[in-house]
Amino acid sequence: MYNGGKIVIGLLIFVGLVISPFLLKGDKATAKPDPKVDTPEILKMPVGERTCVEDKEYMKAEHMKMLNEWRDWVVRDGLNIYTSKAGKEYTMSLQNTCMKCHSNKSKFCDECHNYVGVKPYCWDCHIAPKEEG
Amino acid sequence: MGILFSFFAVVALIVVVFVGVQGANLHYLFGVIIPFAAFITFIVGIVYRVFRWGKVPVPFRIPTTGGQQTSFPWIKASRIDNPSSALGVAVRMALEVLLFRSLFRNMRSELRDGPKLSYASSKWLWLGGIAFHYTFLIILIRHMRLFFEPVPGIIKIAESLDGFFQVGAPVVYVTDVVFLGAVTFLFLRRVVIPQLRYISLAADYFPLFLIGGIGVTGVLMRYFFKTDVVGIKELTMGWITFSPVVPQGIHIIFYVHLFLVSSLLAYFPMSKLMHMAGVFLSPTRNLANTNRAELHVNPWNYPVKVHTYEEYEDDYREFMKSAGLPVEKE
Ligand code: HEM
């Protein structure tokens, strides 16, 4: 090969970059987020009815979209009440509805968000519930 | 023809996912085996092709340059455009790789009435190309959040800058919009300009459709058909720890995205996309113009068979003498 040294160095850099996730995996690589739903507000609910606004799978995937819709409906359209698919009514509010039940933001919302590396900017303005400890 | 063929090839890839994942429930095949196979093809293929290229000698420097070569001290040399030192070459390479400098010099030529030939600077391709490549890069960097745990701070910075306008939730990324726009531009360019349409082949359209398909499915997944990103990260972290699990309930759109990416990775080493490695090996960019300053020996020179005058005289001495010609040796 001609200029073999330079070509091999280039290829090593390329391969190193491409497989870097395999090389740099820490001990935490397999840790999974474990959002806790054991807040006082949720524990007050009867055992069989401890559900979110919608079912769990839906909330997991779509909660950001739901919050976005709630925000538009409240701030732009002046609506206040959300009727879930199950027919239950909720006041559309980030702080007073979501965070009332999920008052453990750092062990719930943040648990997932840190895992996937998102940092919702909502808390620039909205006030996160006080957590002891 | 190339357009339709490429378009339906990408459609066929998408149909394969629907049949395989939704019809036949082959989640493990599409979620683990195919991505791994594609990834290995990608690396091995690129390394193999670069080694093959490395075997080709480039004995003579090709000075296709835009400047004066180094000669007398009193003639101003163009150090970057016509470099004679390794540093100059490095700068020229960096400008080429990072800023697409030779594309920046792109010209448009037109035949006007007269007839007159006119040239004008044409920067659109450069702009589209640079927008496309840089947004692609940023999207790839942001995707690394799925492959590192904990997520490095630099990726979070990229995310927050990219989502600077804070439109909607999940926030709209500027790169997503520019990326799709740039792919569309690069495609329309080939369709709208007759000369380009004439020289475009399936091998030009297919990567565009494939990359466009990847972008569209990614955007659909983020903003429209939401899916469980936490589950997806469990899958990707499973890959890199070699203990893959396929979580239940991931939306089909993710498998489409992943299969198109796998197709792109597997196709990469045998396609024109190899210009990613090729740009580093282009002889008109990476060789200093030292044609005259240094001796360059052609490696395929073989010992040339020569017939010297002495041998000639040995062969014909008698005839020469009898014809009265002078000879050097009696
Ligand atoms: C050629 C490589 C790829 C390209 C060009 C690409 C492109 C995109 C784009 C444009 C988006 C829209 C959202 C965003 O920009 O973050 C997206 C989203 C996404 N991509 Fe990719 N992608 C690629 C590879 C992959 C791979 C290898 C995976 C994982 C296995 C993946 C998983 C995802 C996921 C899960 C989303 C949704 C993210 C969310 O909902 O926030 N992509 N992709």
Side-chain angles (χ1 to χ4, degrees):
Chain A
M1 202 159 55
Y2 299 92
N3 288 313
K6 285 178 203 151
I7 290 182
V8 169
I9 291 174
L11 282 175
L12 281 180
I13 293 174
F14 162 72
V15 174
L17 277 180
V18 176
I19 64 170
S20 59
F22 294 91
L23 304 178
L24 300 176
K25 60 181 174 227
D27 334 320
K28 289 205 202 138
T30 47
K32 285 177 196 161
D34 177 24
K36 293 264 187 303
V37 281
D38 55 359
T39 58
E41 195 65 30
I42 291 175
L43 292 176
K44 265 196 264 169
M45 305 200 290
V47 179
E49 291 170 29
R50 284 181 190 163
T51 56
C52 199
V53 176
E54 298 288 356
D55 64 78
K56 187 174 165 181
E57 290 315 312
Y58 181 87
M59 290 310 292
K60 234 183 178 172
E62 310 243 1
H63 64 274
M64 39 317 224
K65 232 170 121 184
M66 173 187 260
L67 281 170
N68 197 32
E69 285 168 352
W70 280 22
R71 178 168 56 177
D72 286 354
W73 287 333
V74 173
V75 179
R76 301 205 178 141
D77 306 339
L79 306 172
N80 272 311
I81 302 297
Y82 175 82
T83 316
S84 74
K85 283 182 209 133
K88 260 180 140 180
E89 293 195 338
Y90 294 90
T91 311
M92 290 190 279
S93 169
L94 174 60
Q95 276 166 247
N96 302 332
T97 307
C98 304
M99 304 322 282
K100 186 160 144 244
C101 285
H102 299 295
S103 54
N104 52 344
K105 173 171 171 292
S106 63
K107 292 208 179 57
F108 184 76
C109 313
D110 296 352
E111 183 80 8
C112 287
H113 293 165
N114 288 342
Y115 184 64
V116 294
V118 289
K119 199 165 177 301
Y121 60 90
C122 319
W123 314 109
D124 292 358
C125 304
H126 291 273
I127 298 169
K130 271 211 190 76
E131 294 176 60
E132 66 272 13
Chain B
M1 276 329 288
I3 293 194
L4 287 183
F5 173 79
S6 311
F7 179 73
F8 285 108
V10 174
V11 171
L13 290 176
I14 297 175
V15 171
V16 167
V17 185
F18 274 90
V19 173
V21 174
Q22 237 167 28
N25 261 318
L26 300 170
H27 289 85
Y28 198 79
L29 179 66
F30 281 87
V32 178
I33 297 174
I34 291 178
F36 256 101
F39 185 63
I40 291 176
T41 314
F42 177 70
I43 297 183
V44 175
I46 287 185
V47 171
Y48 170 77
R49 287 210 60 182
V50 171
F51 266 102
R52 284 257 311 258
W53 283 337
K55 287 216 175 85
V56 181
V58 187
F60 207 61
R61 312 307 170 97
I62 311 169
T64 55
T65 62
Q68 169 65 44
Q69 79 168 303
T70 313
S71 61
F72 293 110
W74 41 269
I75 296 178
K76 194 160 173 266
S78 173
R79 286 211 184 75
I80 293 168
D81 275 328
N82 201 344
S84 58
S85 68
L87 180 68
V89 170
V91 174
R92 179 166 75 175
M93 272 319 271
L95 289 174
E96 185 64 30
V97 171
L98 301 176
L99 297 175
F100 305 175
R101 187 144 181 260
S102 43
L103 192 55
F104 193 71
R105 300 205 179 113
N106 189 30
M107 301 280 261
R108 191 186 55 213
S109 51
E110 261 171 32
L111 200 56
R112 298 247 177 98
D113 291 342
K116 265 189 195 151
L117 191 57
S118 75
Y119 295 95
S121 146
S122 170
K123 304 269 185 263
W124 287 107
L125 178 58
W126 174 82
L127 192 67
I130 212 128
F132 170 78
H133 283 84
Y134 272 100
T135 50
F136 201 131
L137 177 68
I138 297 171
I139 288 171
L140 285 187
I141 292 176
R142 280 201 283 97
H143 272 63
M144 287 304 118
R145 73 184 170 132
L146 298 171
F147 298 91
F148 288 98
E149 175 61 32
V151 180
I154 184 86
I155 295 177
K156 294 191 180 164
I157 294 173
E159 278 173 2
S160 63
L161 287 180
D162 207 344
F164 179 77
F165 292 108
Q166 302 190 333
V167 177
V171 283
V172 173
Y173 285 138
V174 178
T175 46
D176 285 3
V177 178
V178 177
F179 179 69
L180 291 184
V183 178
T184 312
F185 168 75
L186 292 178
F187 168 68
L188 287 180
R189 181 183 152 260
R190 286 193 182 274
V191 184
V192 172
I193 303 177
Q195 295 94 318
L196 260 172
R197 195 185 158 111
Y198 184 70
I199 59 164
S200 296
L201 304 171
D204 298 309
Y205 291 118
F206 180 65
L208 276 174
F209 280 126
L210 196 57
I211 292 171
I214 292 170
V216 169
T217 50
V219 164
L220 283 178
M221 170 160 47
R222 182 173 163 87
Y223 305 106
F224 301 97
F225 313 131
K226 303 297 304 173
T227 185
D228 175 11
V229 180
V230 172
I232 292 171
K233 184 154 181 186
E234 281 166 23
L235 173 72
T236 53
M237 294 310 284
W239 293 344
I240 69 162
T241 52
F242 297 110
S243 49
V245 275
V246 184
Q248 290 296 306
I250 296 181
H251 197 288
I252 181 88
I253 187 84
F254 171 71
Y255 289 98
V256 175
H257 189 65
L258 186 58
F259 189 64
L260 292 182
V261 173
S262 305
S263 311
L264 182 70
L265 290 185
Y267 174 65
F268 200 99
M270 48 198 113
S271 70
K272 69 172 200 173
L273 303 174
M274 275 303 288
H275 69 267
M276 177 176 91
V279 65
F280 292 99
L281 295 181
S282 47
T284 60
R285 302 288 98 189
N286 68 7
L287 294 172
N289 183 3
T290 53
N291 276 329
R292 291 156 201 239
E294 280 165 28
L295 175 70
H296 301 280
V297 178
N298 187 344
W300 67 74
N301 276 356
Y302 47 85
V304 179
K305 222 172 146 235
V306 288
H307 196 220
T308 58
Y309 179 73
E310 283 76 24
E311 285 163 351
Y312 173 87
E313 211 182 84
D314 286 347
D315 287 349
Y316 299 107
R317 186 165 297 110
E318 294 314 312
F319 301 103
M320 292 170 76
K321 275 189 189 162
S322 57
L325 292 170
V327 287
E328 286 183 354
K329 243 184 352 186
E330 277 310 321

